[in-house]
Amino acid sequence: TNGPPPMTNGPPPMTNGPPPMTNGPPPRALPNTGYKSPSTMRAPSPAKVPMVNRTFEPPTPLPVATPALPKARVLYAYSAQHPGDLELTPGIIVELTKTEGGWWEGKYNGNTG
């Protein structure tokens, strides 16, 4: 009896799922906790919801942000020579309101020129 073991006809047959449980007590029902699964919850019937007589008011529109004016830092002093000119000192920041033909108009400290 020296030699290979006898041949088998393939793997053992497959079963349909795990074997039935035979150890332990039978399963018990869970206590009622008040939880309802989404499949058992329902929206209230439209007939049971009280209707309120309201008029529609459109939402108040949001204020539109005004874009910031471009700014320039004054490099050289300027003494106002005409009505409407700004008195400028180096280092101040002027908000530019208009540029035309190489001239700039701006606001500083409540004055425009």
Side-chain angles (χ1 to χ4, degrees):
T1 65
N2 291 339
M7 292 189 64
T8 62
N9 290 337
M14 295 186 68
T15 62
N16 291 336
M21 292 182 59
T22 55
N23 297 349
R28 353 175 241 153
L30 295 176
N32 185 1
T33 60
Y35 171 77
K36 292 184 179 183
S37 71
S39 63
T40 61
M41 297 186 325
R42 290 186 211 153
S45 168
K48 295 180 182 178
V49 176
M51 298 299 292
V52 177
N53 188 11
R54 294 186 183 177
T55 58
F56 174 76
E57 293 182 25
T60 304
L62 296 174
V64 177
T66 307
L69 295 173
K71 298 176 183 175
R73 180 182 307 274
V74 174
L75 299 177
Y76 305 102
Y78 177 79
S79 297
Q81 298 174 9
H82 305 284
D85 284 358
L86 289 177
E87 190 76 28
L88 303 175
T89 56
I92 65 170
I93 305 293
V94 176
E95 289 184 300
L96 302 178
T97 56
K98 181 169 59 169
T99 61
E100 186 177 299
W103 292 94
W104 294 358
E105 180 180 278
K107 291 194 301 185
Y108 173 72
N109 207 19
N111 297 315
T112 300

